[in-house]
Amino acid sequence: MNAPAFDQEAFKLATRNQWEKSARGWNDHTPQIRAWLRTATDAMLDMAGIRPGSRVLDVAAGAGDQTLDIAGRVGPRGSVLAIDLSAAILEFAQANALRAGHRNVETRVADGERLRVEEAGFDAAVSRLGLMLFPDPLRGLREMRRALKPGGGVCTMVFSKPDANPCVAILMSTALKHAGLPPRDPYQPGGLLSLGKPGLIDELFRTAGFRDVATTRIDAPFGLPSTQAYLDFIRTSASPIQQILGKLDAAAAQAAWTEIEERLDAFRTASGWEGPNELLLTAGRR
Ligand SMILES: C[S@@+](CC[C@H](N)C(=O)[O-])C[C@H]1O[C@@H](n2cnc3c(N)ncnc32)[C@H](O)[C@@H]1O
């Protein structure tokens, strides 16, 4: 029997619904996420060529942690449009921007694969840990390219391959096992590791029409006080895992979390817990 065709629109609806629920958890973990992605985020903004006065598109902006960095960099003569599929998470982004005193941030609910923004209106575009969740990332990249002025820079951040992101791989495989689902190709579209296949994201950038395409690998270990702290982050904020475990009854879900915790305990250190992660920063130019 053939596998059923992948229904991209149904997948995106499920993604949006799940992020509506995880919005508060992701926002509450901003300090931990910020520390985890600090170096990689600075590099992403550099590689996109963001500077004072730039008009910047931030795709899959979430609660806006990187949006605020962009707003600070571009200053009052520049601006940033933060786009996300989830209205709930963008409300946090808007509130965070206002609280930080940034008046140059606008938010808009939109699908990154259908941006609904003006053609060639932006100097730079970024997407931090968003593009890999798109069922059709090539379409997302084409949209970002269309939004850029000629010569405008883009940079995306995604997870690299499974063996360099063992905790993400453990979470996915254990969740699928407990949900009674077969192991999944980690590079299947829309998954956390979907763009980690060596060479894949460069190829997508080139196919989308970007030039000067280059990918940089960055180590970004996630350091936390304990395994429990990582589990708390995952339980409240990691939508793709919830998308799998959310369908289980309470006892089955508890069994899954217990096994996940046991396996993640392998990353305990003398001072707490540290999960290795490797990220890909891919830059290009329209
Ligand atoms: C892991 S969070 C990253 C949020 C933020 N960029 C950050 O790094 O803190 C992923 C975000 O991608 C958004 N997202 C997923 N699919 C999307 C799509 N097709 N279009 C726009 N946003 C999408 C989710 O709603 C969520 O806010």
Side-chain angles (χ1 to χ4, degrees):
M1 209 173 71
N2 291 335
F6 178 41
D7 183 339
Q8 298 194 355
E9 293 311 313
F11 177 84
K12 263 190 283 200
L13 193 60
T15 300
R16 191 190 66 205
N17 290 342
Q18 196 55 60
W19 279 103
E20 294 281 295
K21 291 187 204 147
S22 301
R24 179 174 296 281
W26 188 267
N27 184 61
D28 286 349
H29 284 85
T30 296
Q32 293 89 338
I33 296 166
R34 188 166 182 75
W36 168 35
L37 299 177
R38 175 75 276 138
T39 308
T41 303
D42 287 344
M44 177 179 79
L45 304 193
D46 289 345
M47 287 165 71
I50 296 172
R51 55 181 67 88
S54 297
R55 171 146 175 77
V56 181
L57 178 65
D58 183 4
V59 177
D65 179 50
Q66 73 290 316
T67 314
L68 268 57
D69 289 339
I70 298 166
R73 265 197 194 212
V74 301
R77 290 187 299 107
S79 61
V80 47
L81 175 62
I83 278 182
D84 200 280
L85 207 47
S86 157
I89 206 162
L90 276 185
E91 279 175 28
F92 286 108
Q94 189 68 68
N96 293 336
L98 286 176
R99 197 172 311 111
H102 295 301
R103 298 282 176 272
N104 53 357
V105 174
E106 188 193 336
T107 59
R108 187 178 301 168
V109 179
D111 177 356
E113 296 178 6
R114 287 188 206 100
L115 279 176
R116 299 188 295 110
V117 295
E118 67 272 24
E119 160 119 33
F122 295 85
D123 300 296
V126 296
S127 184
R128 188 178 88 171
L129 295 186
L131 190 66
M132 72 273 181
L133 303 176
F134 291 19
D136 188 347
L138 176 58
R139 198 160 151 185
L141 286 170
R142 285 193 164 124
E143 280 290 272
M144 287 172 96
R145 183 176 176 277
R146 191 181 60 78
L148 285 173
K149 297 175 186 170
V154 63
C155 187
T156 65
M157 183 195 298
V158 298
F159 290 111
S160 74
K161 53 194 190 314
D163 58 359
N165 294 282
C167 300
V168 181
I170 286 171
L171 288 165
M172 284 304 292
S173 63
T174 316
L176 287 169
K177 187 181 87 178
H178 282 267
L181 297 168
R184 233 179 240 174
D185 174 359
Y187 303 131
Q188 177 177 314
L192 284 165
L193 301 170
S194 63
L195 296 178
K197 188 177 192 166
L200 174 60
I201 193 157
D202 295 63
E203 189 186 315
L204 291 174
F205 265 63
R206 289 198 188 95
T207 307
F210 287 111
R211 56 192 173 87
D212 302 336
V213 175
T215 289
T216 304
R217 263 196 295 258
I218 292 204
D219 270 327
F222 199 167
L224 288 165
S226 62
T227 315
Q228 272 305 330
Y230 185 65
L231 276 178
D232 180 55
F233 166 65
I234 297 300
R235 289 182 94 124
T236 56
S237 326
S239 275
I241 307 301
Q242 302 295 355
Q243 235 161 296
I244 301 169
L245 291 183
K247 300 185 184 89
L248 300 185
D249 65 37
Q254 189 47 52
W257 286 113
T258 302
E259 184 178 342
I260 286 173
E261 180 173 359
E262 281 164 13
R263 298 188 64 189
L264 292 175
D265 262 342
F267 300 94
R268 278 205 308 223
T269 63
S271 57
W273 185 90
E274 189 175 278
N277 281 291
E278 188 182 70
L279 303 169
L280 301 179
L281 292 181
T282 307
R285 194 157 296 289
R286 176 170 182 177

